[in-house]
Amino acid sequence: MRIPRVVLSSVAACLAVCLATGDVQGQSRTASAAPASKEILTGRVLDDATGRGIAGAIVRLMTADGVRETVRTDATGRWRAHAVATRQGDSARLQVRAIGYLAREMPLRAPADAIDGRAAPDGADQVTRLTAAILSLDQMVITAARRAQRLQDVVIATEVVSRADIERTGASDVASLLTEHTGIELQGGHPAGAGVMLQGFGTERVLILVDGQPVAGRISGNLDISRIPLSMVERIEVVKGAQSTLYGSEAMGGVVNIITRAPASDVTGASMSLTAGSQGRRDGTVSVGFGRGRFASTVDVSRRHQQTAPGVGEQTSDGALATRFDVAGRARWTADSSRVFEASVIALDERQRWRSGSFYNFGDNTQLSARLAATFTNGAHRFTPTLSSSHFDHLSRASTASLPIAGDEGQRQVQQVHQAELLYNGRLGPRLAVDAGTQVRVDAIETERVPGGRRTLTSVEPFAQIDYSPTAAVNLVPGVRVAHSTEWGTHVTPRIAARAQLGERLTLRASVGDGYRAPDFKELYMFFQNTSADYAVVGNPDLRPETSRSVMLGAELATNSGYVRAQLFHNAFRDFIETRAITQPGESPVYEYGNIDNGSTRGLELEAGANLLGTGALRLEGGYSLLVTRDDATGHELLGRPSNSARATVSAALPFAFRGAATALFTGRTPMQRDASTGEITAWRDSYPRFDLRLSRALDVSPALSDLEFVIGVDNVLDRQPAEWAGFTGRHVYTALSWSFSRASR
């Protein structure tokens, strides 16, 4: 099913109108909605580095008698509160806290006096500038345990790419963003696309989620994450190592959970960004948010175009392109404190073209994903039923001309993923919490390459884990998942993890767990014949799930001014599915999928960061990853896995209110081919050093445009272009202008 652009445009317009005119009832009282009077204090909380408002900051007005009033900032960092009366000789104080920032406390001055001696924007009485923490341990994450936790409290190490990180990179999609993070490598796709590799496990063994739900769209095992626009993303959570106990198949190497922007209650706002660059880059995004009382919604529309194709190496300038148009909407209804309902939809239309030899290849993709969820809370118990559905239509064609041949129907593949899930999170006492659920998943495919043209796989998978705290500083978390499918049988994946907090600054983590990946449609049923190359590939319905055992040990030392963390990992895998010849020498080759490969990956990941001046004016972050792999059959390393990679980023406040960032990335020499008889490596990909520069400045045009920002950047300044790289590697120059506005709903 292909979705015409006019339909997507109509969906965007209708959704925006529906959300803006939806029937809303009730209105929660917030400080920002307080009536204006001479007894009202106003203020704004700003990021000291960027000058942007900080949403959701907690502002406390205190006297010697204690806290007099507590309010939160709106989406632009503004707050309103009643004036504080004090006894003679006493002084009032202002305390400000925000997730991701260092807390600050200072005297509360009389109205019209600005804090820090700087002008108060938009007539605010108090202006507070907070310094971003180099590592925010108070930020909330959900992927590690399938419930909200502070980052400091997770038992399985979790990496977070925040919205601020996204804005600092200038990236247009998830693939471009993740290349700048330690231990995350990208793989080229077939026919095109950029997939994720974690701890030496390739893209087909890394689970990609959007708001905790799977999406369709794997072509030859690869899910192209460059399809996902960053305009709708709030943050990305990455959990490495086997996560099959909580997430099932495909999570052998880890989970990448892409979390979209949550709508804000009692706030109406809009944002827009325009980006232009070399390689024909033209990106435009518009976001609109509306909230009133119990109802909140957001709509994002973006169009992205560039003259490169994702995941395709050795690209030339004669015709490569990727054009995407997407719409995303999300709405939330808070019936009361115990019931919340949510709905979201994402629609994508994509056109890709790249050249291979004398042929142009075309990939036309449309995707529609929807999610319905509810949360019911009763004391310490929470139930979350979720329904999700994802539909992906892929059309592949080829031609010697730059346009497809008229009437060429090509090869079409339609995928669907439907999932129903019931999740329970509860606390059964001060030391015991339970996370459990049942997942029913139906995967379907329509393609001429499987017998009958259509196949369906159904699995039922209950899971549970217990979080037990024998002391306040120790957590023990055993868990298990039982997955059953009529196609490949029953598989059990246990795990046990532990966390120890040694003082306020040092955290130790350890885990041992199993992972698995169920055979997919291609491996079970595929029949493919290449007449020009004279070979064929057939599926094998007797395949078993692939398995792995993961052991991880980690330590994290964090202070207000810096952090250091390290993780050792070892993964032993069995029964990896690969092709093997089933014909005799001299016959036309026929290959069949089988449970063939055994081996291991192990290594070390180090990361560190420091706020060198203590004010956010100079920040330094870096990381290093060592990866050692082994194929048991040959005794040599696995192909396509670099042994070393590193990154370093320095960002600084510059004169004239500019902010600059420089990033150095290094990917080491990588084995790419081996001798079929001896297993010796015969071809290597050269190392790839890359340097990126970015300069930004907030533009003070008017109070209404206080969040206007201009950016210019250069990726791969030295224009290094190693052969056989998965994707475009040339120099890329871009400039961007972004604007945002919001106000409290009345």
Side-chain angles (χ1 to χ4, degrees):
M1 180 186 74
R2 292 183 52 193
I3 307 172
R5 295 170 189 265
V6 66
V7 175
L8 289 175
S9 301
S10 300
V11 170
C14 293
L15 186 56
V17 171
C18 291
L19 294 180
T21 58
D23 180 24
V24 296
Q25 301 179 15
Q27 180 170 331
S28 59
R29 182 183 180 277
T30 64
S32 59
S37 76
K38 64 181 180 180
E39 297 182 352
I40 294 296
L41 283 174
T42 63
R44 197 172 185 206
V45 181
L46 304 176
D47 184 309
D48 195 42
T50 66
R52 289 191 170 190
I54 300 173
I58 299 174
V59 180
R60 292 188 174 94
L61 282 67
M62 304 181 298
T63 66
D65 298 329
V67 177
R68 301 294 297 273
E69 188 168 359
T70 300
V71 296
R72 284 183 179 269
T73 59
D74 65 15
T76 60
R78 294 177 175 85
W79 58 269
R80 296 165 67 87
H82 296 88
V84 177
T86 61
R87 295 176 298 184
Q88 186 173 4
D90 290 341
S91 61
R93 298 189 65 79
L94 186 71
Q95 183 188 79
V96 183
R97 295 179 178 272
I99 293 176
Y101 293 85
L102 304 182
R104 191 169 182 190
E105 186 174 322
M106 66 214 70
L108 178 64
R109 301 185 182 181
D113 291 337
I115 290 179
D116 298 338
R118 309 184 198 182
D122 307 330
D125 296 317
Q126 317 286 331
V127 177
T128 310
R129 289 173 170 82
L130 298 184
T131 298
I134 193 68
L135 176 65
S136 175
L137 297 178
D138 288 330
Q139 62 186 316
M140 304 302 291
V141 296
I142 60 175
T143 308
R146 307 205 65 169
R147 58 182 160 87
Q149 296 176 287
R150 293 191 312 159
L151 183 60
Q152 182 177 6
D153 297 334
V154 298
V155 177
I156 303 296
T158 303
E159 299 176 32
V160 181
V161 184
S162 67
R163 186 67 209 178
D165 297 328
I166 294 171
E167 293 171 350
R168 281 195 290 264
T169 65
S172 63
D173 57 66
V174 173
S176 302
L177 174 72
L178 292 181
T179 58
E180 298 192 8
H181 291 268
T182 303
I184 301 177
E185 301 291 337
L186 296 186
Q187 283 187 303
H190 174 75
V196 178
M197 180 188 295
L198 299 177
Q199 293 189 352
F201 284 93
T203 175
E204 68 273 25
R205 299 174 179 97
V206 175
L207 181 61
I208 307 297
L209 303 173
V210 176
D211 291 327
Q213 301 302 307
V215 292
R218 288 189 180 272
I219 303 298
S220 295
N222 177 46
L223 182 62
D224 180 15
I225 60 172
S226 70
R227 292 189 205 120
I228 303 172
L230 286 175
S231 58
M232 70 177 188
V233 178
E234 176 62 30
R235 69 183 186 276
I236 301 174
E237 298 179 5
V238 181
V239 185
K240 299 173 183 175
Q243 305 301 320
S244 294
T245 299
L246 290 184
Y247 290 99
S249 181
E250 301 171 13
M252 297 180 73
V255 175
V256 177
N257 193 4
I258 300 162
I259 299 169
T260 60
R261 293 189 304 115
S265 301
D266 297 315
V267 172
T268 298
S271 65
M272 179 180 67
S273 68
L274 299 171
T275 304
S278 55
Q279 291 80 47
R281 180 178 176 184
R282 302 291 185 270
D283 300 341
T285 66
V286 176
S287 301
V288 178
F290 173 81
R292 180 172 294 173
R294 299 176 181 178
F295 179 78
S297 63
T298 181
V299 176
D300 297 273
V301 180
S302 73
R303 184 184 186 277
R304 296 168 288 150
H305 174 85
Q306 60 188 30
Q307 293 173 349
T308 61
V312 177
E314 303 293 337
Q315 297 190 51
T316 61
S317 60
D318 54 351
L321 64 83
T323 299
R324 303 176 176 97
F325 179 78
D326 49 77
V327 180
R330 186 171 173 180
R332 184 181 67 241
W333 171 262
T334 304
D336 52 41
S337 60
S338 64
R339 296 176 299 161
V340 179
F341 302 91
E342 205 170 78
S344 62
V345 62
I346 300 172
L348 167 74
D349 182 78
E350 176 183 55
R351 299 290 178 266
Q352 295 178 340
R353 181 178 66 198
W354 69 98
R355 193 161 186 173
S356 176
S358 59
F359 283 88
Y360 287 94
N361 297 278
F362 306 91
D364 298 339
N365 304 311
T366 56
Q367 187 155 21
L368 181 63
S369 299
R371 178 179 66 96
L372 294 173
T375 301
F376 302 97
T377 305
N378 182 8
H381 308 281
R382 186 176 71 236
F383 297 88
T384 308
T386 303
L387 295 174
S388 67
S389 180
S390 183
H391 179 102
F392 180 77
D393 189 332
H394 169 70
L395 175 63
S396 175
R397 292 176 288 180
S399 170
T400 55
S402 59
L403 294 174
I405 300 171
D408 181 10
E409 297 182 356
Q411 294 181 341
R412 171 165 267 112
Q413 184 179 126
V414 178
Q415 301 175 25
Q416 295 175 332
V417 177
H418 310 293
Q419 182 169 291
E421 182 179 74
L422 177 61
L423 179 65
Y424 166 77
N425 306 108
R427 183 160 289 280
L428 306 183
R431 296 185 177 183
L432 185 64
V434 176
D435 307 297
T438 298
Q439 170 187 303
V440 179
R441 174 168 167 166
V442 178
D443 291 77
I445 190 170
E446 294 181 19
T447 175
E448 61 184 14
R449 293 185 177 181
V450 301
R454 179 181 173 87
R455 287 282 180 169
T456 300
L457 293 174
T458 302
S459 63
V460 179
E461 306 183 18
F463 59 90
Q465 71 174 16
I466 298 173
D467 189 332
Y468 172 62
S469 302
T471 70
V474 175
N475 295 78
L476 299 176
V477 184
V480 67
R481 186 185 196 96
V482 180
H484 176 74
S485 169
T486 56
E487 299 294 331
W488 45 261
T490 300
H491 195 78
V492 179
T493 50
R495 182 180 70 181
I496 184 168
R499 167 187 166 274
Q501 187 73 39
L502 306 182
E504 296 182 359
R505 299 180 177 180
L506 180 61
T507 305
L508 304 180
R509 295 180 175 92
S511 65
V512 179
D514 288 356
Y516 81 98
R517 184 184 74 90
D520 61 21
F521 290 106
K522 174 190 68 175
E523 296 158 346
L524 289 168
Y525 306 118
M526 176 182 179
F527 176 79
F528 172 72
Q529 187 167 14
N530 189 325
T531 55
S532 60
D534 192 29
Y535 74 91
V537 181
V538 297
N540 180 359
D542 296 325
L543 291 173
R544 304 181 305 276
E546 303 174 340
T547 62
S548 70
R549 176 152 295 172
S550 175
V551 179
M552 292 188 290
L553 298 172
E556 178 180 272
L557 177 65
T559 68
N560 288 337
S561 59
Y563 71 93
V564 177
R565 56 188 176 193
Q567 181 162 266
L568 292 166
F569 63 88
H570 182 277
N571 300 293
F573 61 83
R574 295 292 180 269
D575 296 329
F576 268 22
I577 299 171
E578 301 290 347
T579 56
R580 60 189 173 192
I582 58 174
T583 51
Q584 299 298 320
E587 299 178 349
S588 296
V590 176
Y591 298 92
E592 180 188 58
Y593 287 98
N595 294 101
I596 299 171
D597 285 352
N598 301 324
S600 64
T601 72
R602 63 184 187 275
L604 166 69
E605 292 182 359
L606 294 171
E607 291 185 283
N611 190 339
L612 299 181
L613 299 182
T615 62
L618 182 61
R619 294 162 60 96
L620 177 64
E621 290 187 88
Y624 169 75
S625 175
L626 171 67
L627 177 65
V628 180
T629 65
R630 174 184 168 85
D631 183 328
D632 287 351
T634 65
H636 296 285
E637 57 261 68
L638 302 175
L639 299 180
R641 277 82 169 172
S643 298
N644 300 276
S645 61
R647 68 176 180 95
T649 299
V650 57
S651 59
L654 303 175
F656 307 107
F658 281 94
R659 184 91 185 167
T663 300
L665 303 170
F666 175 80
T667 303
R669 192 166 175 251
T670 306
M672 299 303 294
Q673 297 179 26
R674 70 170 76 250
D675 184 277
S677 58
T678 66
E680 295 286 344
I681 304 299
T682 58
W684 296 78
R685 183 179 67 197
D686 292 338
S687 60
Y688 180 23
R690 172 180 144 186
F691 297 92
D692 301 342
L693 297 175
R694 188 172 188 268
L695 188 67
S696 63
R697 190 186 191 282
L699 304 177
D700 298 324
V701 178
S702 69
L705 298 177
S706 56
D707 285 336
L708 185 67
E709 185 181 46
F710 172 76
V711 175
I712 185 170
V714 183
D715 293 341
N716 193 10
V717 175
L718 301 181
D719 199 25
R720 297 294 297 269
Q721 301 183 44
E724 298 190 49
W725 190 263
F728 175 76
T729 57
R731 182 186 296 115
H732 176 66
V733 182
Y734 65 92
T735 182
L737 184 67
S738 63
W739 166 80
S740 61
F741 160 80
S742 67
R743 64 179 177 83
S745 301
R746 300 296 183 184

